[in-house]
Amino acid sequence: MSSVWIYIEDGTFLEAKSFGSEGTKVGEIVFNTSMSGYQEIMSDPSYAGQFVVFTMPEIGIVGVNDNDMESKTVHACGMFVRSYNENHSNFRAEDSLGEFLKNHNALGICDIDTRFLTKRIRDNGPKMMVASTEISDREELRKILESSPRIEEVNYIKEVSTKEPYRHNFGAWEHKSLSYKEAKESSKKIVVIDFGVKRNILNELCEAGLNVEVVPYDFEPSDLIKRYKDGEINGVFLSNGPGDPMVLKEEIAKIKELIDAKVPMFAICLGHQLLSIAHGHPTYKLSFGQHGGNHPVQNQDSKVVEITAQNHNYNVPDTVCSIAKVTHINLFDNTIEGLEYIDENIFSVQHHPEASPGPHDSKYIFKEFAKRV
C-alpha cells in the first residue's frame, strides 16, 4: 500500500495508507454509522462531493458485486476505514473493494483512527478536506483546499442525474433467486425526477405497483403538467440527491410550478427538502448530519417507532408546520422526518424507506404513494 496525505480545513494534517485509486480529491468529510452496505453507500449519488468515514472498523470483508450498486458508478470522493480487508469472503463477491475503488476512481484510505475523525466531525461539524496520494506537503494541500469550491457552492445533480429519460423495469430483490424481480405492468404511471436517485428507490416504486419513468433533473414542468392533466401520468416523485438544496434555484422554481398545478407528489431526502423550499421554507444545515442505518423515527399517526436509514446534512425548518402536518419525527434529535402538505396531495420523508443498506421498517411508504395516485 502507498501513502496518502489528508489536510482538513480545521488544520488537521494526517498520513494514512491508500487502497483505492491514486490522485488528489477535495470534498466534505462526513461519517456513517451503518454496520453493513459499504458498496451501496459508496455508489449512492447523494454522497457526491463527500468523503465517508465508516465507524464500522472492519471494511471489505464481503467484497463487491454488480447487484449491490445503487447507481452506475461511485459518486463519493473516497472512504476512510480503520481496517481494510483485501481478502474478501462471500459467495456473492465478484471483486475486492480496493479494485472496485480503483475502477471507479475513488480514494480508499485505511490504517487511520476513524474514531478520532468521527469525534471531530461530531463535535465540530462536517469540514472540507483534501486527500492526495501524490502530494505530501501540508502547505501545498492547504492551498489546493482553499482554492477549491465548497460543497455548498456546487450543483452536483448535473453530474449524477441521467442524461436521457428511461423506463425502470425491476422490482425488489428476491433472496430465493438472488436477483431483482421483473416489474409488473400497472395502470398507474409516475415520473421520477432524477436528482441522483438510488436504484433501490426505483425498485421499491415498481414493487409498490407503479410504472416508473425516470427523467433528467432539467425536466420541463409544463410537459409533466400537461401529461398529468391528460391522464398520461398519475404523479411525480422527487428523488434523493447530493449537495446543498438551496443551490438548486431553477429546480425549486420548476417544483413550485408542479405544486401550483396540483400534481400529486412524493419525495425522499433531497426531494423532501426541495418541496419545503418550494413552499417558502428554506432548509438549514445540521450540526454533523445524519448518516447511518439505525435512526429511530416515530410515525406520528400510529406512534410506531421505525428504525431507518439516513443520509443527509440538511433539514427542513419547523416553520413548515404552518402549511404541513408532521408525519414522522427523528427520536435522536426531534427533527422533522416526514411531512404531509395541507390541502395538497403531496407528502415526503427525510429518511430512506428503501433502506439499501438498512432496515425495512418504512417500506410501507411506497405503497402509500401508490394508493394516493
Side-chain angles (χ1 to χ4, degrees):
M1 289 185 184
S2 60
S3 293
V4 57
W5 293 272
I6 302 104
Y7 180 82
I8 305 174
E9 66 176 321
D10 62 6
T12 302
F13 180 63
L14 302 165
E15 181 179 353
K17 295 298 182 183
S18 169
F19 68 92
S21 69
E22 302 289 313
T24 302
K25 287 183 178 288
V26 174
E28 182 182 57
I29 185 170
V30 298
F31 67 83
N32 189 299
T33 59
S34 294
M35 299 290 284
S36 63
Y38 53 77
Q39 183 182 348
E40 292 97 322
I41 291 166
M42 293 303 290
S43 58
D44 179 351
S46 296
Y47 281 108
Q50 293 179 318
F51 287 89
V52 184
V53 177
F54 285 82
T55 60
M56 177 66 179
E58 299 289 334
I59 297 290
I61 300 170
V62 297
V64 297
N65 70 86
D66 286 345
N67 281 323
D68 287 349
M69 293 293 286
E70 285 296 333
S71 63
K72 292 180 179 179
T73 189
V74 170
H75 296 281
C77 299
M79 63 193 299
F80 287 83
V81 305
R82 177 67 188 89
S83 178
Y84 167 60
N85 293 267
E86 175 68 22
N87 298 318
H88 52 272
S89 178
N90 187 276
F91 74 100
R92 295 176 65 232
E94 297 169 355
D95 210 341
S96 70
L97 175 59
E99 287 302 311
F100 170 78
L101 294 178
K102 291 173 185 176
N103 293 336
H104 291 281
N105 192 31
L107 296 177
I109 302 167
C110 66
D111 291 357
I112 193 167
D113 189 346
T114 51
R115 291 182 301 175
F116 164 77
L117 289 172
T118 300
K119 288 177 181 178
R120 297 282 287 189
I121 299 166
R122 180 196 65 189
D123 296 341
N124 303 309
K127 300 293 181 184
M128 293 299 294
M129 59 154 282
V130 56
S132 178
T133 60
E134 308 161 320
I135 303 166
S136 60
D137 183 74
R138 173 180 179 150
E139 187 62 18
E140 188 173 350
L141 290 172
R142 182 186 67 80
K143 289 179 180 178
I144 291 172
L145 181 59
E146 290 180 351
S147 63
S148 301
R150 301 184 63 83
I151 193 167
E152 57 268 20
E153 298 171 344
V154 181
N155 183 341
Y156 285 101
I157 64 169
K158 293 180 179 180
E159 301 174 14
V160 301
S161 179
T162 182
K163 302 297 186 253
E164 299 292 336
Y166 65 92
R167 168 82 184 274
H168 187 76
N169 294 310
F170 293 97
W173 177 259
E174 191 172 57
H175 291 283
K176 286 185 179 180
S177 64
L178 293 178
S179 63
Y180 292 100
K181 300 176 186 175
E182 289 289 330
K184 297 178 180 178
E185 282 296 323
S186 171
S187 59
K188 295 181 178 181
K189 181 175 182 177
I190 63 156
V191 169
V192 172
I193 299 174
D194 181 10
F195 299 127
V197 70
K198 293 172 63 180
R199 180 169 69 169
N200 274 292
I201 287 179
L202 302 178
N203 292 344
E204 292 299 333
L205 288 168
C206 288
E207 188 71 14
L210 298 167
N211 286 340
V212 174
E213 177 189 344
V214 185
V215 300
Y217 75 97
D218 56 350
F219 67 99
E220 286 296 333
S222 58
D223 175 59
L224 295 186
I225 292 168
K226 182 179 186 302
R227 292 176 67 187
Y228 170 66
K229 289 183 176 180
D230 290 346
E232 184 184 337
I233 62 172
N234 301 90
V236 168
F237 173 79
L238 307 178
S239 85
N240 62 295
D244 184 345
M246 295 298 291
V247 172
L248 309 178
K249 306 298 184 185
E250 293 182 11
E251 292 75 17
I252 292 164
K254 291 179 179 182
I255 291 169
K256 192 173 188 313
E257 289 188 47
L258 299 180
I259 294 170
D260 292 342
K262 303 295 184 183
V263 177
M265 281 188 279
F266 169 46
I268 287 175
C269 203
L270 177 65
H272 164 80
Q273 298 159 12
L274 293 174
L275 275 175
S276 174
I277 300 168
H279 278 93
H281 296 269
T283 50
Y284 66 96
K285 194 166 188 176
L286 294 165
S287 58
F288 54 82
Q290 296 170 337
H291 311 271
N294 61 343
H295 286 240
V297 166
Q298 186 178 54
N299 183 311
Q300 295 300 283
D301 289 330
S302 68
K303 301 305 178 184
V304 170
V305 176
E306 305 160 18
I307 305 303
T308 68
Q310 305 264 348
N311 174 24
H312 59 108
N313 273 346
Y314 301 90
N315 217 76
V316 302
D318 290 341
T319 57
V320 76
C321 297
S322 62
I323 59 167
K325 170 189 171 185
V326 176
T327 58
H328 298 78
I329 290 287
N330 188 307
L331 297 183
F332 276 161
D333 59 6
N334 292 318
T335 53
I336 295 171
E337 285 284 344
L339 292 169
E340 183 175 345
Y341 288 87
I342 298 169
D343 298 327
E344 296 176 341
N345 191 4
I346 299 174
F347 73 111
S348 61
V349 292
Q350 180 60 73
H351 53 282
H352 282 262
E354 83 287 350
S356 301
H360 298 165
D361 298 21
S362 302
K363 281 192 175 184
Y364 68 89
I365 294 172
F366 292 103
K367 293 183 179 179
E368 176 64 25
F369 182 44
K371 289 178 184 177
R372 291 186 181 213
V373 296

